[in-house]
Amino acid sequence: MPVIFKWKRKASGLAVVVSELEESVAARDGDRTESAFAAMMAGVQSASEAEHVLAGPRLAALIPEFPATGPRPMLAMAAGYCVERGADPVACAGPILDGVHRDLLDAVEFARRWTASGEDELPEPDEKIIDDALLARLGGDVHEALQLALAWCAAEEWQPPALAVLCRSAEVRRRDTSALLSACRDLAALERHDLKCLAYALAVLDDEPLVVLHRPTGTGYEIRIGGIGDNFQLHTLLAHVLVGGGHVPGTRPSAESVRLATDPEPAQGRTQTVATGAFELLAPDGERIWNEGLPDDIPVVEGRRLLVLDEPAYPRSWNADRFFPHLPGTAELTRVLTADETRTWLARTS
């Protein structure tokens, strides 16, 4: 999901306007900060790639300096846009993801207080709902109530800058994102925010070993995966490694579908390439692992994720574009299990 800016392009030296924003924030000058912020937003849109590289970390570092009731998500969007244009995602990620986490937690707290006030239906996340009556309903300090209400309305605005850093750095994804993922899923479960992309990005596995059992042939494999956005992509790469590698029978995926799953620079926009299903993906208990789901859905057994492959129940095909265009997937066969190892793992399945 790219960060899109809709304001008018205006020539400006981005380093200059970022410096002015930093100085105005440090001086705690509200009017000056507002003017500098507007100039920065215009400057980001018109800047060169070299300017984005330098400005991204500086803008990200300013995020905690803005009050929760201010344009913090828009500042994160500016930093995220710089990452999309080449700024270091690792240097920008901390303040962006901290801001995401804080607003997700505040949005969940908004929902808890709203429900506790006796209201059955949660409001739409639109700042037009915020008035004195709503703040009074939330209870507590008025400033805190406003912070919760704004977080409820702005939660989806954090998604693009978060994706910008998560989809461009395995190091960022390897940091402790479990708490952030939990908050994201808690808020998404309330069905008022579309946070699917953020939830999927936070759940991406990197350098993750899978034990894969191919039931029809009674063979087993250890496969290490990373950067895979959904199980459609996983399915293609498993077929590439196992069928394409001559380990199990079947029709190998096309070279183009594999390229789309793995190429650091995939084709832009939607393609017409179709991938076809080679397996039925199953959990150890026999439950289906859906292609629409995530590798993170694969259960952990004895410290390893355990996936069972069976003959497909019916023909399947799907568009081969990957879920995250800027996130190439990997799947590497690290070893073939011995017959004894395979029997031991199969004994743990239904």
Side-chain angles (χ1 to χ4, degrees):
M1 179 183 294
V3 180
I4 300 174
F5 295 94
K6 297 181 179 179
W7 52 84
K8 185 178 180 181
R9 294 173 64 88
K10 185 167 75 173
S12 176
L14 186 56
V16 174
V17 295
V18 172
S19 293
E20 170 63 14
L21 182 61
E22 291 169 332
E23 292 169 8
S24 63
V25 169
R28 297 292 189 267
D29 186 328
D31 291 339
R32 183 182 173 192
T33 297
E34 183 176 355
S35 176
F37 186 87
M40 179 276 298
M41 295 297 273
V44 164
Q45 178 66 10
S46 61
S48 68
E49 185 169 309
E51 289 178 302
H52 288 124
V53 169
L54 296 174
R58 295 173 66 186
L59 293 175
L62 285 173
I63 292 173
E65 300 300 319
F66 276 73
T69 54
R72 188 185 287 167
M74 289 299 293
L75 180 56
M77 282 194 182
Y81 183 71
C82 289
V83 171
E84 291 181 351
R85 296 293 302 275
D88 183 1
V90 177
C92 298
I96 290 175
L97 295 182
D98 286 347
V100 175
H101 194 194
R102 183 166 46 247
D103 264 27
L104 290 175
L105 292 175
D106 282 349
V108 171
E109 175 63 13
F110 171 93
R112 188 196 67 78
R113 292 195 188 185
W114 181 272
T115 302
S117 74
E119 294 288 338
D120 293 331
E121 186 173 349
L122 290 164
E124 291 298 321
D126 187 327
E127 288 190 13
K128 294 178 181 178
I129 68 172
I130 301 176
D131 57 20
D132 290 342
L134 179 141
L135 298 179
R137 184 178 294 117
L138 295 178
D141 178 78
V142 172
H143 178 77
E144 180 191 29
L146 178 59
Q147 176 178 322
L148 299 181
L150 287 170
W152 174 258
C153 297
E156 290 184 36
E157 295 177 20
W158 286 98
Q159 192 163 228
L163 294 178
V165 295
L166 289 167
C167 291
R168 287 169 174 79
S169 172
E171 180 180 341
V172 171
R173 296 192 301 275
R174 287 191 187 104
R175 292 176 180 174
D176 184 13
T177 57
S178 58
L180 211 166
L181 176 59
S182 177
C184 179
R185 286 175 169 169
D186 287 346
L187 183 58
L190 300 175
E191 299 183 345
R192 284 294 186 273
H193 300 83
D194 181 4
L195 298 173
K196 178 180 178 179
C197 290
L198 178 58
Y200 272 40
L202 291 168
V204 167
L205 303 176
D206 286 289
D207 200 28
E208 182 81 3
L210 301 182
V211 172
V212 180
L213 305 176
H214 188 250
R215 196 188 299 276
T217 60
T219 55
Y221 309 88
E222 187 176 273
I223 297 176
R224 190 169 295 274
I225 65 169
I228 296 176
D230 62 16
N231 289 336
F232 287 111
Q233 188 180 9
L234 174 65
H235 197 142
T236 296
L237 292 180
L238 289 176
H240 172 59
V241 169
L242 297 179
V243 179
H247 298 283
V248 302
T251 302
R252 68 178 63 198
S254 70
E256 179 63 7
S257 66
V258 174
R259 187 194 71 78
L260 288 168
T262 60
D263 194 336
E265 296 190 12
Q268 296 299 308
R270 298 198 61 79
T271 72
Q272 300 301 313
T273 301
V274 174
T276 56
F279 313 112
E280 197 74 33
L281 308 185
L282 301 173
D285 64 0
E287 289 295 313
R288 180 175 293 168
I289 300 288
W290 296 98
N291 279 339
E292 292 83 358
L294 307 169
D296 188 52
D297 297 335
I298 300 170
V300 176
V301 177
E302 301 291 332
R304 290 293 182 92
R305 294 187 186 273
L306 180 58
L307 178 66
V308 179
L309 305 180
D310 213 333
E311 296 288 352
Y314 53 88
R316 294 185 181 88
S317 63
W318 56 88
N319 187 289
D321 282 353
R322 62 189 183 225
F323 193 83
F324 294 115
H326 296 283
L327 183 53
T330 61
E332 177 189 3
L333 176 63
T334 54
R335 71 187 183 95
V336 178
L337 302 185
T338 66
D340 284 345
E341 287 176 308
T342 301
R343 280 192 292 270
T344 299
W345 282 110
L346 281 170
R348 298 184 174 104
T349 69
S350 301

